[in-house]
Amino acid sequence: QRRRQLLQVSPNQGHLALAQLENRFDVSIVTQNVDNLHEQAGSSHVVHLHGELFKVRSTKDENHVLEWKEDLVLGDLDPHGHQLRPHIVWFGEMVPLLQTAAEITQQADVLIIIGTSMQVYPAASLIHYTDGQTPIYFIDPKPTVRASDFGNLTIIPKTAVEGVPPLVEELFSTWP
C-alpha cells in the first residue's frame, strides 16, 4: 500500500523551483527526505542524508546498492545470499553522507534550509559549517530559529510551496 502511494506522489512547486536554479547556478540539494521528488523535479545533484526508499542494499555489504521499486520482503537476497534491506538510515545508525553534506555547506555561496525543525541531528548541525557571511534563507511555516541566532539569516515563515518559488525568483534577479 505505502509503496504504491510512494509511486504516485509528484514534486511540488518548491521542488520544481529548486530544480530551476540549476539553469543559472551550481546547485547541490542535501535532503533528509527519502523520496526521489527532487530528482523527479529535475535536480541533478542530490545528496540523500537519510537514504532512499527506491533503493535497497545488502545487510552484509552496504556498498551493494540496487534500484528497487517493488515491496521488499524477507527472502529478497543479494547475489551472495544475504538479506536485502531498505537503503535508508535508521535512528541510531551513522549518517554516511554527513561529511559530503558538510563540505557542500561549507562551500555554499547561499544556503537555503527548507521545511525542517532544525532539531534532527546531525543534519541540524550543517548550518554551522557556513563561514558566518554566507546568506542563509530558512523557509518553514513554523520557524524554530530566530534571525539573531545566525549571521545573515533571513526567515521566510511559509511552506516550501509558498516560499521557495519567490525566493528563487529573487535569487535570479539579485545574483549574477
Side-chain angles (χ1 to χ4, degrees):
Q1 177 70 8
R2 286 189 176 170
R3 178 69 56 176
R4 279 184 243 120
Q5 183 181 8
L6 184 61
L7 291 169
Q8 295 173 358
V9 296
S10 57
N12 63 36
Q13 293 302 311
H15 296 104
L16 297 169
L18 289 173
Q20 289 175 351
L21 279 174
E22 287 189 30
N23 294 333
R24 296 231 339 246
F25 305 108
D26 179 17
V27 177
S28 294
I29 305 281
V30 176
T31 183
Q32 296 178 87
N33 295 331
V34 293
D35 54 39
N36 69 348
L37 294 177
H38 287 290
E39 290 89 345
Q40 284 183 43
S43 292
S44 61
H45 187 242
V46 182
V47 174
H48 290 271
L49 275 184
H50 294 159
E52 300 176 68
L53 284 175
F54 287 114
K55 294 182 179 178
V56 297
R57 70 176 183 244
S58 170
T59 54
K60 186 72 171 174
D61 177 6
E62 66 185 32
N63 294 316
H64 183 80
V65 178
L66 303 168
E67 299 287 329
W68 199 270
K69 299 232 184 204
E70 303 300 318
D71 288 333
L72 180 64
V73 297
L74 194 59
D76 287 332
L77 308 175
D78 72 11
H80 303 289
H82 299 103
Q83 179 64 45
L84 294 171
R85 60 163 275 183
H87 184 53
I88 59 172
V89 176
W90 300 115
F91 284 103
E93 291 183 330
M94 295 295 293
V95 179
L97 295 176
L98 186 62
Q99 184 60 38
T100 300
E103 291 168 7
I104 289 168
T105 304
Q106 197 168 32
Q107 296 169 13
D109 293 323
V110 174
L111 181 64
I112 305 171
I113 302 169
I114 305 165
T116 179
S117 67
M118 294 294 288
Q119 304 298 310
V120 178
Y121 284 84
S125 69
L126 290 172
I127 194 170
H128 299 290
Y129 286 88
T130 63
D131 64 9
Q133 303 302 312
T134 303
I136 302 170
Y137 297 91
F138 183 77
I139 301 172
D140 192 274
K142 296 178 182 175
T144 56
V145 296
R146 296 181 309 266
S148 60
D149 292 341
F150 302 95
N152 295 327
L153 176 65
T154 301
I155 296 175
I156 302 170
K158 297 181 177 183
T159 66
V161 170
E162 298 165 334
V164 174
L167 176 59
V168 167
E169 289 302 317
E170 179 183 329
L171 293 174
F172 280 154
S173 67
T174 59
W175 283 74

